[in-house]
Amino acid sequence: MSADGQAAVAAVERVAERIERERERLTELDSAIGDADHGGNMARGWASAAEAVRDLNDPDPATVAKTAGKTLMSEVGGASGPLYGGSLVFASAELEDGLTPESAVAFAETYLEKVRDRGDASVGDQTMVDALVPAVHTFKKSVEVDDLPPVEALAKAVDAAERGAAFTVPIRANKGRASYLGWRSVGHQDPGATSTLFIMEALLETARDRLDAAGAADVDATSPTVPDEGDPEE
Ligand code: ADP
Ligand code: MG
């Protein structure tokens, strides 16, 4: 399997593990302003997605993202199934020519655009969009303007998502189930913004692991135990 394909499978597995660990927390958040199904929905969906991508034969990152998205669409009900799954399927096309800093930015932008199209939510409506917009904007700027290495750009994006998720607490819900609560939604962190943050943290961990592994390989390659290239006669 290609290194990028392998990393993509590892990323989905990592997300599934993290979401499973956070199932209770997501359930609690959705109990406060929704119907308490977000933890169960997400845990079931990502566990199935991890299984589905593990079964792929030599996949590239686009196929992994598409397969995960399709699985989420069929396994996760509620508002978040089509938002997460459908947007992931759509954005996966941006990775078809491979995973590069540029294609990662395009993937993130297309994913955000799709979530907005489908859900019609803006920043300040107390949804996953509140975590996504700062994360995607920060990622794009970090790559394209600041020229940061992709993993550092992703770390900045995760910080931005964290602040975005926190921003959902003092505002009122205008979309989704939580909006039925009116002013009573104020004071609660949005479940979807929170799961978006967890997913991004898992992606960052995977990217860091991969960077560490690549660093270790570089050290091996320059170590004195590797014979010098050159004339074998010498
Ligand atoms: P449901 O609300 O159908 O029970 P979930 O509990 O799985 O679905 O997901 C709820 C999350 O979905 C919310 O916390 C919010 O982040 C997100 N959400 C709901 N409606 C929208 C929307 N119109 N646009 C963007 N995100 C939304
Ligand atoms: Mg719910």
Side-chain angles (χ1 to χ4, degrees), residues 171-183:
I171 61 176
R172 176 185 156 156
N174 278 321
K175 291 284 174 193
R177 245 171 232 286
S179 65
Y180 308 158
L181 291 178
W183 290 103

Side-chain angles (χ1 to χ4, degrees), residues 91-175:
S92 69
E94 304 286 2
L95 303 177
E96 266 164 15
D97 292 332
L99 183 59
T100 62
E102 295 72 28
S103 72
V105 169
F107 170 83
E109 285 191 293
T110 301
Y111 178 84
L112 168 62
E113 187 187 307
K114 229 43 209 173
V115 169
R116 277 168 156 167
D117 279 359
R118 280 167 194 264
D120 192 33
S122 309
V123 167
D125 285 343
Q126 200 188 52
T127 71
M128 54 178 72
V129 169
D130 293 324
L132 266 178
V133 166
V136 173
H137 287 196
T138 298
F139 186 60
K140 182 180 171 76
K141 190 254 184 181
S142 300
V143 170
E144 293 183 359
V145 182
D146 300 336
D147 248 339
L148 289 183
V151 178
E152 280 177 42
L154 187 54
K156 299 244 179 232
V158 168
D159 288 345
E162 192 170 4
R163 292 197 292 276
F167 165 69
T168 64
V169 177
I171 61 176
R172 176 185 156 156
N174 278 321
K175 291 284 174 193

Side-chain angles (χ1 to χ4, degrees), residues 30 35-38 177:
D30 198 32
D35 55 357
D37 65 349
H38 193 62
R177 245 171 232 286

Side-chain angles (χ1 to χ4, degrees), residues 1-9 58-61 210:
M1 197 188 300
S2 76
D4 284 348
Q6 217 166 356
V9 171
D58 193 18
D60 49 50
R210 213 180 143 209

Side-chain angles (χ1 to χ4, degrees), residues 194-220:
T194 310
S195 55
T196 295
L197 169 62
F198 294 154
I199 289 166
M200 290 194 55
E201 284 177 342
L203 295 182
L204 175 60
E205 281 172 16
T206 312
R208 280 188 168 145
D209 278 358
R210 213 180 143 209
L211 195 67
D212 288 348
D218 282 351
V219 171
D220 284 351

